[in-house]
Amino acid sequence: MAKKSIQDVDLTGQVVLCRVDFNVPIKDGVISDDTRIRASLPTIQYLANTKLLLCSHLGRPEGAPDPKYTLAPCAERLSELLGKPVRFVDDCVGPKVAAAVAEMQVGDVLLLENVRFYPGETAKDKDQMRAFAEQLAAPAQAFVDDAFGSAAKKQASVTGVTEFLSPCVQGFLMEKEVSMLSRVYNAPQEGFVVVLGGAKVADKIDVIKSLLPRCEKMLIGGAMAWAFFRAKGMEIGESLCSDESVQLATEILNSDAELLSKLLLPVDVHMQNVAGDHATAFAPADGILPGWDAQDIGPETTKLYADIVRQARTVFWNGPMGHFEQKPFDTGTLGIAQAMGECPGFNVVGGGDSVAAVTQMDLADKMDHVSTGGGASLEFLASGSLVGVDVLDDK
Ligand code: ADP
Ligand code: MG
């Protein structure tokens, strides 16, 4: 069901609570990457006819104020980006907020302190979360959710406040993420290619189960592939792998033959002799030696996967093909990123490290969509929806 967006409602003059994702990397009070703040600008600018209260989490404080996780630097950065003052209140509920809101004029923007300074934000106890959500919603009338990265979890500032505010609509960033990932999720099976890599099968198991029946081919790379190798009884030497991943890979390998025929594993690897002289070598999939660590897919696999990706109508990619942070083990990931860039079909990259790889390789603008959400894009593709989106008003 399509959800209402800020363009479907008139919020003129109202006090609007807007959940953004300002969970940016901050070191010694300096923001090293403001991508997430920039990504929320279209929504914030569109809401210039309201009294706008922004709220977000930052990091993982333990449900109590912690100066390490203050959002104050984000107010400053946002103010620079908007070219107008952004008031910061060092609390997110209570009398300080009420007093600040009482002074607001239409067009003013106010950033509240980290919602995770209160245990109610992430409380497992429903009543505790509900009570905090009620306090957070108290000064506002309407709710706008533009925090795609946080939409997978039931939290006071994501799902809780919707009980107390109306309308509840999505911002531009949320709308874009959901529409792009819906297009992936609902892609016609023919020509739908999924590329999955990264470290652990456990992180991706739900997406494998969800997308394997929906796609034409699923290409497995990254350390995740070694779990499948071990599940098949192959030697993986010192390669990164956990027992949990092997167990989950075994479960997948027990799927019926038709499903399994869609799942491709690397045919060769790029490995390093970690027990000896640290030499590197290519080997066929069944040629990993004891004492060696397979850190990337090999050149034959890269070519095989890249050819499939280039011909796809829809590609979704999550998870690096190897230990790309360390040369020469970046070539598999680079090969996939380049093939995605050359593919005329619809292509989407999602996931923290895969997005970092594509950005680092200067190929992000060759993609149709690069998800800002990290884990949220995987959660969406695992089920086709997100709790934080489900609770917003239907169109
Ligand atoms: P994403 O954040 O895109 O979802 P993951 O977090 O699942 O990706 O995995 C990314 C990490 O996996 C990277 O740090 C990468 O170095 C590591 N990785 C991938 N393949 C290997 C490998 N063969 N050996 C060691 N590390 C690997
Ligand atoms: Mg990651």
Side-chain angles (χ1 to χ4, degrees):
M1 174 73 84
K3 295 295 176 178
K4 274 191 186 156
S5 90
I6 42 177
Q7 282 175 302
D8 299 318
V9 291
D10 182 10
L11 301 174
T12 309
Q14 295 194 27
V15 181
V16 174
L17 179 69
C18 179
R19 177 60 157 95
V20 288
D21 181 5
F22 284 179
N23 185 28
V24 294
I26 300 183
K27 220 182 163 196
D28 303 324
V30 181
I31 298 170
S32 57
D33 180 357
D34 65 359
T35 308
R36 286 180 169 164
I37 300 177
R38 287 175 187 275
S40 68
L41 290 177
T43 295
I44 293 172
Q45 279 158 340
Y46 185 84
L47 294 171
N49 61 341
T50 70
K51 299 177 184 177
L52 189 56
L53 300 183
L54 301 172
C55 69
S56 176
H57 78 283
L58 175 72
R60 293 174 183 275
E62 309 267 308
D66 181 342
K68 216 166 72 191
Y69 298 112
T70 176
L71 279 164
C74 296
E76 223 170 284
R77 187 78 197 96
L78 177 62
S79 169
E80 287 163 19
L81 292 168
L82 286 174
K84 69 178 188 186
V86 173
R87 182 165 174 190
F88 178 71
V89 179
D90 66 357
D91 207 341
C92 62
V93 294
K96 272 191 203 167
V97 178
V101 173
E103 287 171 12
M104 282 179 97
Q105 307 288 319
V106 170
D108 286 353
V109 180
L110 190 154
L111 177 62
L112 302 172
E113 184 55 288
N114 196 340
V115 287
R116 288 199 188 161
F117 283 2
Y118 285 86
E121 170 65 6
T122 55
K124 290 212 167 63
D125 182 289
K126 275 188 191 152
D127 294 331
Q128 194 189 354
M129 181 180 289
R130 189 172 183 276
F132 176 65
E134 188 170 17
Q135 280 184 287
L136 189 61
Q141 295 155 283
F143 179 57
V144 173
D145 193 352
D146 213 21
F148 174 73
S150 300
K153 293 196 177 75
K154 282 191 183 159
Q155 295 184 338
S157 68
V158 176
T159 49
V161 292
T162 62
E163 197 183 320
F164 305 100
L165 300 170
S166 178
C168 296
V169 300
Q170 52 187 349
F172 291 121
L173 176 63
M174 181 74 96
E175 189 177 22
K176 184 171 178 213
E177 289 277 8
V178 171
S179 83
M180 291 292 175
L181 291 164
S182 298
R183 202 171 144 186
V184 169
Y185 189 73
N186 296 311
Q189 187 167 350
E190 205 191 317
F192 179 16
V193 173
V194 177
V195 187
L196 287 181
K200 289 191 296 194
V201 183
D203 293 345
K204 323 275 158 135
I205 184 81
D206 293 336
V207 174
I208 298 177
K209 285 183 180 169
S210 156
L211 295 186
L212 195 53
R214 307 179 83 93
C215 73
E216 186 179 326
K217 286 199 171 81
M218 184 175 282
L219 317 177
I220 303 287
M224 200 167 73
W226 319 146
F228 286 90
F229 282 15
R230 233 179 74 192
K232 291 173 143 214
M234 293 156 67
E235 171 69 53
I236 63 161
E238 295 298 309
S239 308
L240 183 66
C241 187
S242 70
D243 292 341
E244 188 197 15
S245 288
V246 176
Q247 205 178 338
L248 294 168
T250 308
E251 199 184 301
I252 301 291
L253 290 172
N254 285 332
S255 311
D256 67 65
E258 199 203 320
L259 273 187
L260 263 192
S261 68
K262 304 176 178 190
L263 188 84
L264 274 66
L265 294 173
V267 294
D268 62 344
V269 306
H270 196 177
M271 60 183 186
Q272 184 164 34
N273 182 0
V274 287
D277 60 0
H278 288 259
T280 64
F282 299 118
D286 59 3
I288 303 175
L289 301 168
W292 289 65
D293 175 3
Q295 295 190 53
D296 195 9
I297 55 174
E300 275 182 49
T301 310
T302 306
K303 185 179 180 308
L304 176 77
Y305 284 7
D307 284 345
I308 294 170
V309 165
R310 264 191 297 267
Q311 286 168 35
R313 284 199 206 153
T314 309
V315 194
F316 174 72
W317 176 26
N318 166 278
M321 292 291 100
H323 188 197
F324 76 97
E325 297 92 337
Q326 193 173 313
K327 282 186 174 146
F329 303 113
D330 58 339
T331 51
T333 301
L334 183 62
I336 296 297
Q338 283 168 337
M340 290 259 303
E342 288 162 19
C343 169
F346 178 66
N347 48 49
V348 175
V349 184
D353 295 292
S354 3
V355 168
V358 166
T359 307
Q360 188 185 307
M361 289 162 181
D362 230 355
L363 289 163
D365 60 359
K366 293 258 194 299
M367 310 299 165
D368 288 298
H369 184 60
V370 177
S371 178
T372 55
S377 56
L378 287 183
E379 300 251 9
F380 185 91
L381 293 175
S383 65
S385 71
L386 290 169
V387 279
V389 179
D390 292 343
V391 292
L392 301 176
D393 298 351
D394 292 328
K395 252 203 195 199

Coordinates of all heavy atoms in Angstrom, one line a residue, residues 265-317:
L265 N 28.2 -19.9 -6.9 CA 29.3 -19.7 -6.0 C 30.6 -19.4 -6.8 O 30.6 -19.8 -8.0 CB 29.4 -20.9 -5.1 CG 28.3 -21.3 -4.2 CD1 28.5 -22.6 -3.5 CD2 28.1 -20.2 -3.1
P266 N 31.6 -18.8 -6.1 CA 32.8 -18.5 -6.9 C 33.4 -19.8 -7.5 O 33.4 -20.8 -6.8 CB 33.7 -17.9 -5.8 CG 32.8 -17.4 -4.7 CD 31.6 -18.3 -4.8
V267 N 34.0 -19.6 -8.7 CA 34.7 -20.8 -9.3 C 36.2 -20.7 -9.0 O 36.9 -21.6 -9.2 CB 34.4 -20.8 -10.8 CG1 33.0 -21.1 -11.1 CG2 34.8 -19.5 -11.5
D268 N 36.7 -19.5 -8.6 CA 38.1 -19.4 -8.2 C 38.2 -18.3 -7.1 O 37.3 -17.5 -6.9 CB 39.0 -19.1 -9.4 CG 38.7 -17.8 -10.1 OD1 37.6 -17.2 -9.9 OD2 39.5 -17.3 -10.9
V269 N 39.4 -18.3 -6.5 CA 39.6 -17.3 -5.4 C 41.0 -16.7 -5.5 O 41.9 -17.1 -6.2 CB 39.5 -18.1 -4.0 CG1 38.2 -18.9 -3.9 CG2 40.7 -19.0 -3.8
H270 N 41.1 -15.5 -4.7 CA 42.4 -14.9 -4.6 C 42.8 -15.0 -3.1 O 42.1 -14.5 -2.3 CB 42.3 -13.4 -5.0 CG 43.6 -12.7 -5.2 ND1 43.6 -11.4 -5.6 CD2 44.8 -13.2 -5.2 CE1 44.9 -11.1 -5.8 NE2 45.7 -12.1 -5.5
M271 N 43.9 -15.8 -2.9 CA 44.2 -16.1 -1.5 C 45.6 -15.7 -1.1 O 46.4 -15.3 -2.0 CB 44.0 -17.6 -1.3 CG 44.9 -18.5 -2.2 SD 44.6 -20.2 -2.0 CE 45.9 -20.9 -3.0
Q272 N 45.8 -15.7 0.2 CA 47.1 -15.3 0.7 C 47.6 -16.3 1.7 O 46.9 -16.8 2.5 CB 46.9 -13.9 1.4 CG 48.3 -13.3 1.9 CD 48.1 -11.9 2.3 OE1 47.1 -11.4 2.8 NE2 49.2 -11.1 2.0
N273 N 48.9 -16.5 1.6 CA 49.6 -17.5 2.5 C 49.8 -16.9 3.9 O 50.9 -16.3 4.1 CB 50.9 -18.0 1.9 CG 51.6 -19.0 2.8 OD1 51.1 -19.4 3.8 ND2 52.7 -19.5 2.3
V274 N 48.8 -16.9 4.8 CA 49.0 -16.2 6.1 C 49.8 -17.0 7.1 O 50.3 -16.4 8.1 CB 47.6 -15.9 6.7 CG1 46.9 -14.8 5.9 CG2 46.7 -17.1 6.8
A275 N 50.0 -18.3 6.8 CA 50.8 -19.1 7.7 C 52.3 -19.0 7.4 O 53.2 -19.3 8.2 CB 50.4 -20.5 7.6
G276 N 52.6 -18.4 6.2 CA 54.0 -18.4 5.7 C 54.4 -17.0 5.3 O 54.4 -16.1 6.1
D277 N 54.8 -16.9 4.0 CA 55.5 -15.7 3.5 C 54.5 -14.6 3.0 O 55.0 -13.6 2.5 CB 56.4 -16.1 2.4 CG 55.7 -16.7 1.3 OD1 54.4 -16.9 1.4 OD2 56.3 -17.1 0.3
H278 N 53.2 -14.7 3.3 CA 52.2 -13.8 2.8 C 52.1 -13.6 1.3 O 51.6 -12.5 0.8 CB 52.4 -12.4 3.6 CG 52.0 -12.5 5.0 ND1 50.8 -12.1 5.5 CD2 52.6 -13.1 6.1 CE1 50.7 -12.3 6.8 NE2 51.8 -12.9 7.2
A279 N 52.6 -14.6 0.6 CA 52.5 -14.5 -0.9 C 51.0 -14.6 -1.2 O 50.2 -15.1 -0.4 CB 53.2 -15.7 -1.5
T280 N 50.6 -14.1 -2.4 CA 49.2 -14.2 -2.8 C 49.2 -15.0 -4.1 O 50.2 -15.1 -4.9 CB 48.6 -12.8 -3.1 OG1 49.3 -12.2 -4.2 CG2 48.7 -11.9 -1.9
A281 N 48.1 -15.7 -4.3 CA 47.9 -16.6 -5.5 C 46.5 -16.8 -5.8 O 45.6 -16.6 -5.0 CB 48.6 -17.9 -5.2
F282 N 46.2 -17.1 -7.1 CA 44.9 -17.4 -7.5 C 44.8 -19.0 -7.4 O 45.7 -19.7 -7.6 CB 44.6 -17.0 -8.9 CG 44.7 -15.5 -9.1 CD1 45.6 -14.9 -10.0 CD2 43.8 -14.7 -8.4 CE1 45.7 -13.6 -10.1 CE2 43.9 -13.3 -8.6 CZ 44.8 -12.7 -9.4
A283 N 43.5 -19.4 -7.1 CA 43.3 -20.9 -7.1 C 41.9 -21.2 -7.5 O 41.0 -20.4 -7.3 CB 43.6 -21.4 -5.7
P284 N 41.7 -22.4 -8.1 CA 40.3 -22.7 -8.3 C 39.6 -22.9 -7.0 O 40.2 -23.1 -6.0 CB 40.4 -24.1 -9.1 CG 41.8 -24.6 -8.8 CD 42.6 -23.4 -8.5
A285 N 38.3 -22.9 -7.0 CA 37.5 -23.0 -5.8 C 37.9 -24.2 -4.9 O 37.9 -24.1 -3.7 CB 36.0 -23.1 -6.1
D286 N 38.2 -25.3 -5.5 CA 38.6 -26.5 -4.7 C 40.1 -26.6 -4.5 O 40.6 -27.6 -4.1 CB 38.1 -27.8 -5.4 CG 38.6 -27.9 -6.8 OD1 39.5 -27.1 -7.2 OD2 38.2 -28.9 -7.5
G287 N 40.8 -25.4 -4.7 CA 42.2 -25.4 -4.5 C 42.8 -24.6 -3.4 O 43.9 -24.2 -3.4
I288 N 41.9 -24.2 -2.5 CA 42.3 -23.4 -1.3 C 43.2 -24.3 -0.4 O 42.8 -25.4 -0.1 CB 41.2 -22.8 -0.5 CG1 40.3 -21.9 -1.4 CG2 41.7 -21.9 0.7 CD1 39.0 -21.4 -0.7
L289 N 44.4 -23.8 0.0 CA 45.3 -24.6 0.7 C 45.2 -24.4 2.2 O 45.0 -23.2 2.6 CB 46.7 -24.4 0.2 CG 47.0 -24.6 -1.3 CD1 48.3 -24.1 -1.7 CD2 46.9 -26.1 -1.6
P290 N 45.5 -25.4 3.0 CA 45.7 -25.1 4.5 C 46.7 -24.0 4.7 O 47.7 -24.0 4.0 CB 46.1 -26.5 5.0 CG 45.8 -27.5 4.0 CD 45.8 -26.8 2.7
G291 N 46.4 -23.1 5.6 CA 47.4 -22.0 5.9 C 47.2 -20.8 5.0 O 47.8 -19.8 5.2
W292 N 46.3 -20.9 4.0 CA 46.0 -19.8 3.1 C 44.6 -19.2 3.4 O 43.7 -19.9 3.9 CB 46.0 -20.2 1.7 CG 47.4 -20.5 1.2 CD1 48.2 -21.5 1.6 CD2 48.2 -19.8 0.2 NE1 49.5 -21.5 1.0 CE2 49.5 -20.5 0.1 CE3 47.9 -18.7 -0.6 CZ2 50.4 -20.0 -0.8 CZ3 48.9 -18.3 -1.5 CH2 50.2 -18.9 -1.6
D293 N 44.5 -17.9 3.2 CA 43.2 -17.2 3.5 C 42.7 -16.6 2.2 O 43.3 -15.7 1.6 CB 43.6 -16.0 4.5 CG 42.4 -15.1 4.8 OD1 41.3 -15.4 4.3 OD2 42.7 -14.1 5.5
A294 N 41.5 -17.1 1.8 CA 40.9 -16.6 0.5 C 40.2 -15.3 0.9 O 39.3 -15.2 1.6 CB 39.8 -17.6 0.0
Q295 N 40.7 -14.2 0.3 CA 40.3 -12.8 0.6 C 39.5 -12.1 -0.5 O 39.1 -11.0 -0.3 CB 41.4 -12.0 1.1 CG 42.1 -12.5 2.3 CD 43.1 -11.6 2.9 OE1 42.8 -10.4 3.2 NE2 44.3 -12.1 3.2
D296 N 39.4 -12.8 -1.6 CA 38.6 -12.2 -2.7 C 38.2 -13.3 -3.7 O 38.7 -14.4 -3.6 CB 39.5 -11.1 -3.4 CG 38.7 -10.2 -4.3 OD1 37.4 -10.2 -4.3 OD2 39.3 -9.4 -5.1
I297 N 37.2 -13.0 -4.5 CA 36.8 -13.9 -5.6 C 38.0 -13.8 -6.6 O 38.7 -12.8 -6.7 CB 35.5 -13.6 -6.2 CG1 35.4 -12.1 -6.7 CG2 34.3 -13.9 -5.2 CD1 34.1 -11.8 -7.5
G298 N 38.2 -14.8 -7.4 CA 39.3 -14.8 -8.4 C 38.8 -14.1 -9.7 O 37.7 -13.8 -9.9
P299 N 39.8 -14.0 -10.7 CA 39.5 -13.3 -11.9 C 38.4 -14.0 -12.8 O 37.6 -13.3 -13.4 CB 40.8 -13.3 -12.6 CG 41.7 -14.2 -12.0 CD 41.2 -14.4 -10.6
E300 N 38.4 -15.3 -12.8 CA 37.4 -16.0 -13.6 C 36.0 -15.7 -13.0 O 35.0 -15.5 -13.8 CB 37.6 -17.5 -13.6 CG 38.6 -17.9 -14.6 CD 38.8 -19.4 -14.6 OE1 37.8 -20.2 -14.6 OE2 40.0 -19.9 -14.6
T301 N 35.9 -15.8 -11.7 CA 34.6 -15.5 -11.1 C 34.2 -14.0 -11.3 O 33.0 -13.8 -11.7 CB 34.6 -15.7 -9.5 OG1 35.2 -17.0 -9.3 CG2 33.3 -15.6 -8.9
T302 N 35.1 -13.1 -11.2 CA 34.8 -11.7 -11.5 C 34.2 -11.5 -12.9 O 33.2 -10.8 -13.1 CB 36.1 -10.9 -11.3 OG1 36.6 -11.1 -10.0 CG2 35.7 -9.4 -11.4
K303 N 34.9 -12.2 -13.8 CA 34.4 -12.1 -15.2 C 33.0 -12.7 -15.4 O 32.2 -12.1 -16.0 CB 35.4 -12.7 -16.2 CG 35.1 -12.5 -17.6 CD 36.1 -13.1 -18.6 CE 35.6 -12.9 -20.0 NZ 34.2 -13.2 -20.3
L304 N 32.9 -13.9 -14.8 CA 31.6 -14.6 -14.9 C 30.5 -13.7 -14.3 O 29.4 -13.5 -15.0 CB 31.7 -15.9 -14.2 CG 30.5 -16.8 -14.1 CD1 30.2 -17.5 -15.4 CD2 30.6 -17.8 -12.9
Y305 N 30.7 -13.2 -13.1 CA 29.7 -12.4 -12.4 C 29.4 -11.1 -13.2 O 28.3 -10.7 -13.4 CB 30.1 -12.1 -11.0 CG 30.0 -13.3 -10.0 CD1 29.6 -14.6 -10.4 CD2 30.2 -13.1 -8.6 CE1 29.5 -15.6 -9.5 CE2 30.1 -14.2 -7.7 CZ 29.7 -15.4 -8.2 OH 29.6 -16.4 -7.3
A306 N 30.5 -10.5 -13.6 CA 30.4 -9.2 -14.3 C 29.6 -9.3 -15.6 O 28.7 -8.5 -15.9 CB 31.8 -8.6 -14.6
D307 N 29.8 -10.4 -16.3 CA 29.0 -10.6 -17.6 C 27.5 -10.8 -17.3 O 26.7 -10.3 -18.0 CB 29.5 -11.9 -18.3 CG 30.9 -11.7 -19.0 OD1 31.2 -10.5 -19.2 OD2 31.5 -12.7 -19.3
I308 N 27.2 -11.5 -16.2 CA 25.8 -11.7 -15.8 C 25.2 -10.3 -15.4 O 24.1 -10.0 -15.8 CB 25.7 -12.7 -14.7 CG1 26.1 -14.1 -15.2 CG2 24.3 -12.8 -14.1 CD1 26.3 -15.2 -14.1
V309 N 26.0 -9.6 -14.6 CA 25.5 -8.3 -14.1 C 25.2 -7.3 -15.3 O 24.2 -6.6 -15.3 CB 26.5 -7.7 -13.1 CG1 26.2 -6.2 -12.9 CG2 26.4 -8.4 -11.8
R310 N 26.1 -7.3 -16.2 CA 26.0 -6.4 -17.4 C 24.7 -6.6 -18.2 O 24.2 -5.7 -18.8 CB 27.2 -6.4 -18.3 CG 28.3 -5.4 -18.0 CD 29.3 -5.3 -19.0 NE 30.1 -6.5 -19.1 CZ 31.2 -6.8 -18.4 NH1 31.7 -5.8 -17.7 NH2 31.8 -7.9 -18.5
Q311 N 24.3 -7.9 -18.2 CA 23.1 -8.2 -19.0 C 21.8 -8.2 -18.2 O 20.8 -8.4 -18.8 CB 23.3 -9.6 -19.6 CG 24.3 -9.7 -20.7 CD 24.7 -11.1 -21.0 OE1 23.9 -12.0 -21.0 NE2 26.0 -11.3 -21.4
A312 N 21.9 -7.8 -17.0 CA 20.7 -7.9 -16.1 C 19.7 -6.7 -16.4 O 20.1 -5.7 -16.9 CB 21.1 -7.8 -14.7
R313 N 18.5 -7.0 -16.1 CA 17.5 -5.9 -16.3 C 17.4 -5.2 -14.9 O 17.1 -4.0 -14.9 CB 16.1 -6.5 -16.6 CG 16.1 -6.8 -18.1 CD 14.6 -6.9 -18.5 NE 14.5 -7.8 -19.6 CZ 13.5 -8.5 -19.9 NH1 12.4 -8.4 -19.2 NH2 13.5 -9.3 -21.0
T314 N 17.5 -5.9 -13.9 CA 17.5 -5.3 -12.5 C 18.6 -6.0 -11.7 O 18.8 -7.2 -11.8 CB 16.2 -5.7 -11.8 OG1 15.1 -5.3 -12.6 CG2 16.1 -4.9 -10.5
V315 N 19.4 -5.1 -11.1 CA 20.5 -5.7 -10.2 C 20.4 -5.1 -8.8 O 20.3 -3.9 -8.7 CB 21.9 -5.4 -10.7 CG1 22.9 -6.2 -10.0 CG2 22.0 -5.5 -12.2
F316 N 20.4 -5.9 -7.8 CA 20.6 -5.4 -6.4 C 21.9 -6.0 -5.9 O 22.1 -7.2 -6.0 CB 19.4 -5.8 -5.5 CG 19.7 -5.4 -4.1 CD1 19.6 -4.1 -3.7 CD2 20.0 -6.4 -3.2 CE1 19.9 -3.7 -2.4 CE2 20.3 -6.0 -1.8 CZ 20.3 -4.7 -1.5
W317 N 22.7 -5.1 -5.4 CA 24.0 -5.6 -4.8 C 24.2 -5.2 -3.4 O 24.0 -4.0 -3.1 CB 25.1 -5.0 -5.7 CG 26.5 -5.4 -5.2 CD1 26.8 -6.5 -4.4 CD2 27.7 -4.6 -5.3 NE1 28.2 -6.4 -4.1 CE2 28.7 -5.3 -4.7 CE3 28.0 -3.4 -6.0 CZ2 30.1 -4.9 -4.6 CZ3 29.3 -3.0 -6.0 CH2 30.3 -3.7 -5.3

